[in-house]
Amino acid sequence: MLVVTLLVIGLLSVSLLALVSGSGQAGWNELLALASNPADATGLSIIGDLRLPRTIIALSCGAMLGLSGAALQSLTRNGLADPGLLGVREGAVLVIVLAIIAFPHTPLGFRPFLGMAGGFAVAAAVALIAGSLSRLRFVLIGIGFSWLLSAVISLLITVSDIDRVQIALTWLAGSLATVTPDMVPLALTGLLTGCILMFATARWADVSILGDSATVGLGVPAKTLAIIHLCAPVLMTATAVSCVGSIGFVGLIAPHTARMFIGGGQKSLLAGSFLIGATLLVVSDTVGRKAFAPLQIPAGIVLALIGVPVLLLLLWRRRDQL
């Protein structure tokens, strides 16, 4: 509880910092004015219309990616599993990139549905070929699909019109510069749906760690649990990808960091993955906006530059326990 409380405080702190950080002049005074009297606040257009939706989407998408990684790692009983390694993210990305290049006037509201179609198609194909969701073969086949789809995406970008490719590449880098207030309900709906599904089945997931025989013997509907732990991550990943692009790394590091610092059962893992994933993406987006302002560095690039050394440091400190 102490660690979770500190994580909540940290997430709130970085979120407030994100609201007052940027190339505009709106700062703490404008944020206080907006909180006390939104109708007359001079910083409304900057904080309320630009930074607030961007921060909410960064928080929601980071949390969804963290939860997705935790769910897939529990499902496969493999710490390397995440939406990227299993091809789910690439499936969603491929369909959305195809829409951006071939049908540039496609409404943004359609992107999540396109992403979910691609993610579910890849997940179903991998599960069908592997024959089981809890074997190493499932992860290996997912990695193969991930590389295949990455090659197809690269080929699509290479042969397409340069103007549309530039839009797709900016989105692929994981940029939040193009988010709009219209995306906020979509991101929050995906996050709420995923949280309900994951936390409602947390006790079943605790039992499933004991193995298939123990799961069935203790009365847990193993097939239902597997379907939920596959569909919920696909839903959340597709929603996150449609809003912020191809953000990697969060689904891998957030669950591992939660296990290191929180421990406990599945509910603790999910809560920690939620908070750590959200914090990672909010911090990365804020650093990307401030470091080279007014030039904005995509959050996906900042996340990789910051996150990889942090992960290596954490693994090095706990090398005797791995």
Side-chain angles (χ1 to χ4, degrees), residues 35-77:
S36 60
N37 191 358
D40 298 330
T42 57
L44 177 63
S45 60
I46 297 177
I47 296 179
D49 293 344
L50 298 177
R51 295 180 188 168
L52 182 60
R54 183 166 179 164
T55 302
I56 292 175
I57 290 176
L59 188 155
S60 302
C61 293
M64 283 189 284
L65 293 172
L67 288 173
S68 298
L72 290 174
Q73 289 175 19
S74 298
L75 172 66
T76 61
R77 301 181 195 134

Side-chain angles (χ1 to χ4, degrees), residues 17 28 34 36 55 97 124 127 148 153 172 184 191 225 235 254 263 269 284 316:
L17 185 61
W28 289 105
L34 178 63
S36 60
T55 302
V97 168
L148 174 63
I153 294 170
L172 275 172
V184 173
L191 177 60
L225 177 62
L235 169 66
L269 174 63
S284 299
W316 173 258

